Amino acid sequence: MDAERAHHVSFSALRFLDSLPLLNRLLRLVLARGTRDEVEVLGLPFPNRVGLAAGFDKNGEGVRALSALGFGHIEVGTITAHAQPGNDRPRLFRLRENLALLNRMGFNNQGARQASFNIEAQRRALSALPGRARPIVGINIGKTKVVPGADAVEDYAASARALAPLADYLVINVSSPNTPGLRDLQSVASLEPIVSAVKATAAEVVENPRSTLGHVPLLVKIAPDLNDEDVIEICRLAVRLGVDGLITTNTTIDRDVLNGEEAEFARSQSGGISGRPLAARSLEVLRLVKATVGNELTVISVGGIADARDVRARLAAGADLVQVYSEMIYSGPFWPGRVIRGTKAHGLLAAQR
């Protein structure tokens, strides 16, 4: 089956099962068993340290269903101020030999206004669950494709205006390779006014944030393809502007991370690569960020995580939280719970020693 169609079918099936009162309880009993491992990060009570990265639920339509898999947080998006169809199909490919994905989706989403309705409905659905079963909800915002770079600041601010009241935390995405010119916004000169505008807008529209920080936590998601000097500059900018954290990293445009015939295929296609081949650079960027900022910023590590050992390695390298996505496509719905339980068991053994 076409990879994008398979995604829609599986996601729709999960949402349908979650809508059935008895089956949704069974889902949580089977899939989310033993995943409770509370931690406070960003002034928020995370049920555990492992979350679902942005890209799976682009419109905020299935947060409660996805929480049945055991995730401690779910990041919705990427959402743009205006609805857009994304790039032409096919735009999502499985690279099975490398256990990777190649996508050039292009921020296909229903727009910030419709997403706000979806997420509000999902928050009502989550309120019916016991408090310990409710995940933290992050919202990832990006630039609308047809909006010129010169107008990016207001575009991001418009998304923040609609979505900040529904977000436990917000993420500025300036690192996807699938929107022309987007990665140029990672430069310090371009990023600074965007961060300032989003922070000011969120403060304006959210009087009572859920975080004990006293504001809606704001993070920036960066690319693995930045050179080390640029990573350091973004870290310094984030600290100076009072950004709360960084997400390291987005997909890569580097085809050399792939092996075999799939590498040649990927060189003939545009888009970003995620999955196991991204692990080495993602970990490298995480270590660089931590060496630069220490404990001044929260760091969420994502990219190439295959099992509980990878999660433990990211936490040992300084990550506060970890996100996953691509491996779930290959390992199935039982995989998140196994990873979380494996990470939790290791922590208990370490504490006992």
Side-chain angles (χ1 to χ4, degrees):
M1 187 184 292
D2 170 75
E4 186 173 351
R5 183 170 178 234
H7 170 83
H8 288 303
V9 168
S10 59
F11 191 20
S12 296
L14 180 65
R15 289 162 56 198
F16 173 72
L17 293 174
D18 180 66
S19 70
L20 304 175
L22 294 178
L23 277 178
N24 67 25
R25 294 178 191 172
L26 181 62
L27 269 180
R28 293 176 187 280
L29 181 65
V30 173
L31 299 177
R33 173 184 52 84
T35 57
R36 191 74 184 173
D37 191 19
E38 298 94 337
V39 60
E40 183 172 313
V41 180
L42 295 168
L44 297 164
F46 286 76
N48 59 62
R49 292 186 186 268
V50 179
L52 180 63
F56 197 98
D57 186 357
K58 292 178 178 295
N59 297 299
E61 298 173 299
V63 175
R64 195 182 82 161
L66 289 165
S67 72
L69 303 183
F71 292 115
H73 67 282
I74 293 165
E75 193 169 302
V76 173
T78 296
I79 298 168
T80 54
H82 305 283
Q84 57 185 29
N87 295 323
D88 294 337
R89 300 188 186 193
R91 54 193 180 182
L92 179 64
F93 305 89
R94 303 184 194 96
L95 306 178
R96 294 184 182 86
E97 293 177 9
N98 288 268
L99 292 174
L101 299 175
L102 188 154
N103 93 82
R104 51 170 177 267
M105 303 298 289
F107 291 170
N108 55 305
N109 74 103
Q110 298 168 0
R113 184 171 183 271
Q114 180 59 49
S116 70
F117 299 147
N118 298 340
I119 298 167
E120 187 173 16
Q122 286 298 298
R123 282 207 168 274
R124 288 196 300 269
L126 286 172
S127 68
L129 298 176
R132 55 186 173 78
R134 299 173 197 166
I136 294 298
V137 180
I139 301 180
N140 184 305
I141 58 175
K143 186 182 80 69
T144 307
K145 183 177 181 179
V146 298
V147 170
D151 298 327
V153 172
E154 179 51 39
D155 192 61
Y156 277 97
S159 292
R161 192 170 294 113
L163 297 169
L166 297 163
D168 289 320
Y169 70 86
L170 274 175
V171 180
I172 295 174
N173 187 349
V174 286
S175 52
S176 170
N178 300 319
T179 296
L182 184 73
R183 287 191 168 193
D184 295 340
L185 300 179
Q186 290 178 112
S187 70
V188 170
S190 297
L191 186 56
E192 182 167 358
I194 293 172
V195 168
S196 298
V198 171
K199 281 189 66 177
T201 302
E204 177 187 331
V205 299
V206 181
E207 293 184 4
N208 300 301
R210 298 173 180 86
S211 169
T212 59
L213 296 180
H215 59 267
V216 180
L218 179 63
L219 298 92
V220 175
K221 189 169 187 175
I222 63 174
D225 308 310
L226 290 168
N227 62 49
D228 289 356
E229 291 76 15
D230 287 337
V231 172
I232 292 169
E233 282 300 307
I234 287 177
C235 288
R236 290 172 176 164
L237 174 68
V239 171
R240 178 162 57 84
L241 293 180
V243 169
D244 298 288
L246 295 175
I247 299 183
T248 61
T249 56
N250 213 316
T251 58
T252 182
I253 57 174
D254 182 7
R255 272 40 181 169
D256 290 338
V257 300
L258 298 172
N259 297 312
E261 294 181 1
E262 289 178 342
E264 294 307 312
F265 169 76
R267 288 188 180 97
S268 70
Q269 303 288 330
S270 61
I273 296 164
S274 61
R276 293 194 192 184
L278 192 55
R281 178 56 180 166
S282 181
L283 182 55
E284 194 175 71
V285 174
L286 166 62
R287 287 172 172 154
L288 177 60
V289 167
K290 289 301 294 184
T292 305
V293 304
N295 295 321
E296 292 188 82
L297 297 177
T298 292
V299 182
I300 302 178
S301 183
V302 56
I305 292 168
D307 52 35
R309 289 175 299 178
D310 289 335
V311 174
R312 295 195 294 266
R314 303 300 173 93
L315 297 178
D320 299 283
L321 300 168
V322 171
Q323 291 181 346
V324 299
Y325 179 179
S326 299
E327 185 68 26
M328 189 170 70
I329 305 303
Y330 291 103
S331 297
F334 289 90
W335 178 76
R338 287 201 304 269
V339 168
I340 297 165
R341 287 189 292 272
T343 306
K344 179 181 176 182
H346 178 81
L348 290 173
L349 289 172
Q352 289 169 359
R353 287 198 290 269

